[in-house]
Amino acid sequence: MRRSGLRLDPFYPIFDSADWIARMLPLGMKLVQLRVKDRPETEIGREIARARTLCAEAGCVLVVNDYWKLAIAEGCDWLHLGQEDLDTADLGAIRKAGLKLGVSSHDEAELERALATQPDYVALGPVYPTILKQMRFGPQGLERLGEWKRRIGDLPLVGIGGISLERAPGVFAAGADIVAAVTDITLNADPEGRLKRWVAATREHAA
């Protein structure tokens, strides 16, 4: 049975450190992913613990990327897994710990695999070309967002990859319930100002 009906904020920024999260929390974000890569697990554990405390105090939903054992150990509520992460993740342990789960997808087979985990949201990407990381999949485009949404129904759909503030309205219109942003904020000359504009625009969309 698929999960549905969860209400998550439509704006989903992703940061690679608790420092970024601390910097942006006062500006009104209510959903954030911590995606830390290429650091020792002890350091990542400290990052997760700090981010969890910061988000709990600010009333913000924290989603931990990949490190499910650390997310369980630190008492987190949400986890995001990529397709490669599913190869080694213990979904039984994740669910037993009460973690809600988001899963990435890029094509039909991956969508089916994601849905088999009974996720709490599904992400599709990259919607547009992205400079964040090397991808073996090309841009998925807005049409596929619409296809995915028709397939998954009430399950929240996250659009991710190359999305800017200017592109966000089209991503929502195509079928995404939630829009993720990374470099549009972190590489902006004024990250705080950019995030505030994202918060305002997505609150208006939600209203």
Side-chain angles (χ1 to χ4, degrees):
M1 180 178 175
R2 297 176 190 173
R3 294 162 174 242
S4 64
L6 281 169
R7 293 288 296 174
L8 290 169
D9 196 87
F11 173 47
Y12 190 12
I14 298 173
F15 298 113
D16 65 3
S17 71
D19 282 344
W20 266 112
I21 291 175
R23 183 175 166 183
M24 296 300 173
L25 273 173
L27 306 178
M29 65 181 185
K30 292 300 177 185
L31 171 66
V32 67
Q33 184 182 126
L34 177 66
R35 181 164 66 191
V36 187
K37 300 291 184 182
D38 304 321
R39 291 170 64 178
E41 283 205 15
T42 52
E43 286 185 26
I44 294 173
R46 287 195 292 270
E47 289 286 310
I48 292 172
R50 184 178 171 219
R52 180 185 178 280
T53 299
L54 288 166
C55 288
E57 291 172 350
C60 178
V61 173
L62 173 67
V63 183
V64 175
N65 183 281
D66 185 6
Y67 289 91
W68 60 272
K69 290 180 182 177
L70 294 175
I72 291 172
E74 297 300 337
C76 296
D77 297 318
W78 279 85
L79 177 70
H80 182 93
L81 295 177
Q83 291 284 319
E84 296 82 5
D85 304 325
L86 288 175
D87 293 338
T88 55
D90 184 339
L91 293 174
I94 289 165
R95 289 304 190 189
K96 186 177 179 181
L99 281 165
K100 296 180 180 66
L101 179 64
V103 181
S104 296
S105 66
H106 308 86
D107 62 18
E108 293 281 343
E110 290 192 353
L111 176 60
E112 289 305 317
R113 189 185 189 201
L115 292 175
T117 71
Q118 299 183 28
D120 295 281
Y121 72 73
V122 170
L124 172 66
V127 177
Y128 293 99
T130 176
I131 61 172
L132 184 63
K133 60 180 179 178
Q134 288 294 112
M135 299 286 290
R136 61 190 179 92
F137 292 92
Q140 301 300 298
L142 298 179
E143 185 176 343
R144 179 157 282 187
L145 270 174
E147 292 172 8
W148 255 228
K149 188 58 187 173
R150 288 188 289 274
R151 289 276 300 281
I152 68 177
D154 290 339
L155 193 67
L157 176 63
V158 177
I160 186 171
I163 300 175
S164 64
L165 184 59
E166 292 74 21
R167 287 170 166 169
V171 177
F172 283 125
D177 302 290
I178 300 164
V179 172
V182 189
T183 57
D184 190 63
I185 298 165
T186 58
L187 297 184
N188 193 277
D190 177 16
E192 284 86 355
R194 190 66 165 174
L195 187 132
K196 282 193 277 190
R197 288 177 62 197
W198 267 100
V199 169
T202 50
R203 294 289 187 279
E204 184 177 338
H205 165 79

